[in-house]
Structures are given as C-alpha cells and as structure tokens.
Amino acid sequence: MKKIKSLTALACALTLTTGIFTGCGSSSGGSDSSKNVTVNIFQFKVEAKTALDKAVKDYESSHKNVTINVQTVGGGQDYGAALKTKFASGDEPTIYNIGGPQDVQDWKAKLEDLSDQPWVSKAYDGTLDAVKSDGKIYGLPFDMEGYGFIYNKSIFKKAGIDPSTIKSYADLEKAVTTLDSKKKDLGIDAVFGTAGKETWIDGLHDSNVPFALELKDGVSAFKAKTINFTYADGFKKLVDIQNKYAYKPDGTNKSINSVDYSTQVEKLFSLGKVAIIEQGNWIYSTVSGINKDVADSMGLLPMPIDGVKEGCVPVGVPMYWSINSKKDAATKKAAKDFLNWLYTSDKGKNAIINDFKFIPALKGYDASNLQPVDPISKELTKYSKAGNTIPWVFMGYPTGWGQNKLGTDLQKYTSGDMTWDKLVQDAKDQWAAARK
C-alpha cells in the first residue's frame, strides 16, 4: 500500500470512515508552584505501562515538585471493577480511565470538567462525543485503535493464501480450513489462538461486530433501551469458527476458556504457534519485544458476519484519561499539566508515537518523525480509505453487560454449558433490565 505521508492523513482517513467520527504542538510549561504534589494514576493499558513509566520519569525530571505514581490494572483483569474497588477503598486516584457515555454517567460525581484544556481544540471531530455531557468534556482520548483478526503473513504465504481476497465469512472459512489442513507443514498447533479466559475479548470486541451493524454508534448504544440481536446467527458462526479451529490445551472446547491474553499473544502468536488471533494494533510492542520478525509480518483481516457483503474493521477510541474532581486544586493542576505535556509537547508527542506506538486522536503530529511505522496501523489506513470500518459501539453497552454478562455466557456456550438460543435471550433480557 502507499506509504503514509502524515498522521493527519491517517487520522482523517480513520475519522471519515468509522461512522462515529465526522471530521476528516505546543510545549507545556512547568508548575508555577513550589508546593510538592503527588499525582496517582490508575490506568488500564498494560501494553503502555513501560512507555508511561518512561514518560513519567521524563516529566518529573523537569517538574521537580511533582511526583507521579502509576498503577496499571488490565490485560486479564476487569479494570472497571478494579476502579470501583479502588475508589471504595478511599485511595482515590488523581487520573483514571473512562470508556464512554456509560462511564460518564457512572462517574459523573468524580469527573473534572476538562473543557478549557489546550488539547480540546486539537481533538479530531467526533472523538470527544462519547465523553461530553451537559456541554462539558470529561476525558482526553488515549488514541485511536482498530482490531480484527491479526494474522501471520509468513504463514499465510506458505499456505498459499492471498489475504486480500478475504472479505466475506465464506472467504474466511475457506482460508481457515486451508490452514487447518496444512497445520503440520506450516508448523502451527492450531489456526486460531483464542483467549477464551478474557471475557472482554468476546463480550466486548467480538460482540461489537454484530452490534455495530445493528446500532449506529456508542452514544446510540447507550441510549438504546433494548436490542434485537439482529445478527445473532452470523455472530454464532464467527464464534463457532474460532472455537472449532482454536488452540485447545487439553483438546476440548472447555479448555479454550483457560487461555489468557498472555498465552494468546506472547506464547502462541509471537512464537508462531498459531496463524490468527483476535487483537488490535496495541499488541505490536509486545509481539515485537518477543519476535520482531513475527511483529513485522502481521496483517489485519476483517471479522465478517455471514450475509454482510464486506467485512469491516472496528475503529475507535479505546479509553479516555479523566481527572478526579474531588482532588485539591494543586493536584488537579499538576494532573492537567502532565496530560497536556504528554500529548502536546515535543517530548510528549515523540513518546506517544515512538514509545506508546499510538495513533493520536489529536491534531499536531505532522512531523516526519511522528509517523506510525507498525504494520497494523498501516493496515488500518487501508481499511479506512476503503470505507471498511465500523464504530466501537461497546463503549455504550450497559455497565458490565458486555464483559461480565455476555462475555460469561459466551464462555458457557464455548464449554457446552449453554445453548446459543439461551445466550441470545439472556443478552436481550439483561440489556433491557440494565436500562430500566
């Protein structure tokens, strides 16, 4: 594909085609107070932990009166539940993460109005809609991300499969059966590395595919009192094909539920034991740290629903940085300054691109040294320019519905302890009950 010329082009391509976005740096100064301030960050993105720790040290070196502590809870853990526990303990963080309109409602009493912050004017159109309420803005977007079926190009090439031909469910099924028939020659243990233990993967990411076709965007999902589960049959096929051809530790479907994120990404995909996993561009740093050849050989396939002509890649803002409104003025000022520094200063922007490996949701990243280099971000550009993207509607799911209810039911279905019809009915009933 064509070489990316600038992040502006990339961001515009994403925002113009996701369906939730409608649009196509300065350096932050030091604190003006000598008062010592401590900022505690409670964040979800395990893949960004090392980069965030590095950025914090860089910031502290030029802001001697500020101490920043970072606690990361994510990956195989439920961040939302952990955040509630954190607040309930009385040890409230200064900076924490929210996911969209449902979280804005749930945490409204603890959210600082960030409408006057310098980065607000730099946000791409639509990227702040999920965290707007009563004319106020309550979150800074982490970045823009996309996910789907990440595949190993080298394995596909060896199997004689042209990934550009995989658009429909039938195309995917054909490729998967071909890979399965050649497992021994390809040196793989299974076609898919399915992390059944992680209910956020199937309950949020996988389910987003059918519900993005039914619901317009995250805000619409948040306002929906009921769901029809219109594409339940197509979703079933998507779940079934992953289960049928998944890596199974003891040979049974039930054991798929014991495979966690680390096993999926680090032990199966990074070591070339499987050809496909469902993940997004955020895994590049992890895979690259284990096997750079595999990382640079990654490609991105759609997650097609049977009956829908073209497969699409979900693209959206994964989370937002928010500030605890109950903290004292000096602490909140330092927290705001750090976030501004991270996303708008020259040092911060360099870290966002080259350390975090983020695709910014803000303007101002036009310099040649601020362009994404990982293959999945480039793939996202391809899908976006072709108009083959769908929004992240799971940000508007009822609290806990996707991960704790639907995700758990999908585990039961995988293990044979629940029928699909029961799963669909439960999903409808639990959504309606949560919206009462």
Side-chain angles (χ1 to χ4, degrees):
M1 58 181 290
K2 294 181 178 179
K3 183 177 180 181
I4 300 173
K5 298 299 183 182
S6 71
L7 259 176
T8 299
L10 171 60
C12 284
L14 288 170
T15 55
L16 283 169
T17 57
T18 60
I20 55 173
F21 306 133
T22 57
C24 129
S26 61
S27 296
S28 174
S31 172
D32 59 4
S33 171
S34 60
K35 177 182 177 182
N36 291 330
V37 177
T38 297
V39 173
N40 294 317
I41 299 177
F42 191 74
Q43 71 100 23
F44 88 107
K45 186 169 279 299
V46 293
E47 301 89 352
K49 182 182 184 303
T50 300
L52 182 57
D53 288 342
K54 180 181 176 182
V56 163
K57 288 181 180 179
D58 196 2
Y59 179 82
E60 288 177 332
S61 69
S62 58
H63 298 76
K64 300 298 185 181
N65 65 306
V66 180
T67 298
I68 300 178
N69 302 311
V70 179
Q71 183 177 355
T72 300
V73 175
Q77 301 180 66
D78 184 340
Y79 176 79
L83 183 61
K84 289 180 180 178
T85 299
K86 186 74 172 175
F87 270 87
S89 72
D91 182 21
E92 298 187 5
T94 311
I95 297 175
Y96 60 103
N97 306 145
I98 59 173
Q102 184 65 59
D103 280 354
V104 170
Q105 176 176 285
D106 293 346
W107 293 100
K108 194 75 170 287
K110 299 283 188 176
L111 293 175
E112 178 79 356
D113 179 13
L114 303 177
S115 304
D116 64 349
Q117 291 303 290
W119 52 260
V120 171
S121 64
K122 301 177 186 297
Y124 282 104
D125 290 347
T127 56
L128 301 179
D129 290 349
V131 287
K132 285 182 179 178
S133 180
D134 300 324
K136 298 178 180 179
I137 296 168
Y138 293 104
L140 162 65
F142 257 76
D143 64 338
M144 291 196 291
E145 296 180 346
Y147 66 89
F149 285 139
I150 292 183
Y151 68 97
N152 186 314
K153 291 181 179 179
S154 297
I155 293 176
F156 269 55
K157 184 177 181 179
K158 189 174 181 180
I161 299 172
D162 179 1
S164 68
T165 64
I166 302 175
K167 298 177 181 179
S168 67
Y169 176 80
D171 296 334
L172 175 66
E173 187 175 38
K174 182 180 178 181
V176 168
T177 54
T178 297
L179 289 165
D180 185 66
S181 69
K182 298 181 177 182
K183 283 191 301 184
K184 186 176 181 180
D185 292 338
L186 297 172
I188 59 176
D189 295 335
V191 177
F192 287 101
T194 303
K197 187 174 182 178
E198 313 294 359
T199 55
W200 60 271
I201 293 179
D202 53 10
L204 297 177
H205 287 189
D206 284 6
S207 72
N208 185 89
V209 180
F211 286 114
L213 299 174
E214 178 177 337
L215 305 166
K216 180 183 177 183
D217 52 37
V219 175
S220 297
F222 174 67
K223 293 178 179 179
K225 299 299 183 182
T226 61
I227 52 171
N228 295 322
F229 218 146
T230 306
Y231 298 92
D233 291 344
F235 183 42
K236 180 179 184 297
K237 290 185 177 181
L238 201 60
V239 172
D240 286 348
I241 196 171
Q242 292 182 76
N243 286 343
K244 182 176 181 179
Y245 298 101
Y247 166 74
K248 304 169 186 178
D250 69 4
T252 67
N253 274 15
K254 190 171 185 177
S255 68
I256 295 173
N257 291 332
S258 70
V259 180
D260 61 11
Y261 175 84
S262 178
T263 299
Q264 178 198 43
V265 176
E266 299 172 12
K267 297 179 182 179
L268 295 177
F269 189 77
S270 295
L271 298 181
K273 299 297 184 181
V274 296
I276 307 170
I277 59 173
E278 191 274 88
Q279 281 298 337
N281 61 309
W282 52 84
I283 71 167
Y284 178 78
S285 293
T286 299
V287 179
S288 181
I290 297 170
N291 190 327
K292 196 166 189 308
D293 288 339
V294 171
D296 292 339
S297 183
M298 293 193 300
L300 186 66
L301 292 173
M303 301 175 67
I305 294 292
D306 193 25
V308 178
K309 184 178 180 181
E310 298 287 341
C312 293
V313 172
V315 176
V317 175
M319 276 283 198
Y320 295 80
W321 296 105
S322 291
I323 294 174
N324 189 342
S325 60
K326 300 304 181 182
K327 293 295 182 178
D328 63 86
T331 302
K332 290 190 291 187
K333 177 178 173 59
K336 292 174 183 178
D337 188 74
F338 171 69
L339 292 179
N340 276 310
W341 174 88
L342 183 60
Y343 281 86
T344 67
S345 74
D346 290 340
K347 283 188 176 181
K349 288 191 289 187
N350 182 70
I352 287 295
I353 298 299
N354 296 305
D355 294 335
F356 287 81
K357 301 294 193 298
F358 280 178
I359 302 173
L362 305 180
K363 302 170 186 175
Y365 289 74
D366 301 326
S368 60
N369 66 317
L370 298 179
Q371 307 314 308
V373 295
D374 73 273
I376 301 304
S377 293
K378 293 180 179 180
E379 289 282 298
L380 290 174
T381 306
K382 179 185 71 174
Y383 282 102
S384 297
K385 287 182 176 179
N388 292 329
T389 60
I390 54 177
W392 285 17
V393 300
F394 64 82
M395 291 302 190
Y397 287 176
T399 302
W401 179 85
Q403 185 165 352
N404 300 331
K405 292 183 168 54
L406 179 59
T408 299
D409 279 356
L410 283 165
Q411 286 182 328
K412 293 177 182 177
Y413 172 72
T414 294
S415 64
D417 297 324
M418 176 178 280
T419 66
W420 186 259
D421 288 344
K422 173 63 173 171
L423 180 148
V424 171
Q425 191 58 52
D426 275 3
K428 294 178 181 179
D429 292 345
Q430 291 166 352
W431 183 294
R435 292 298 194 220
K436 286 183 179 179

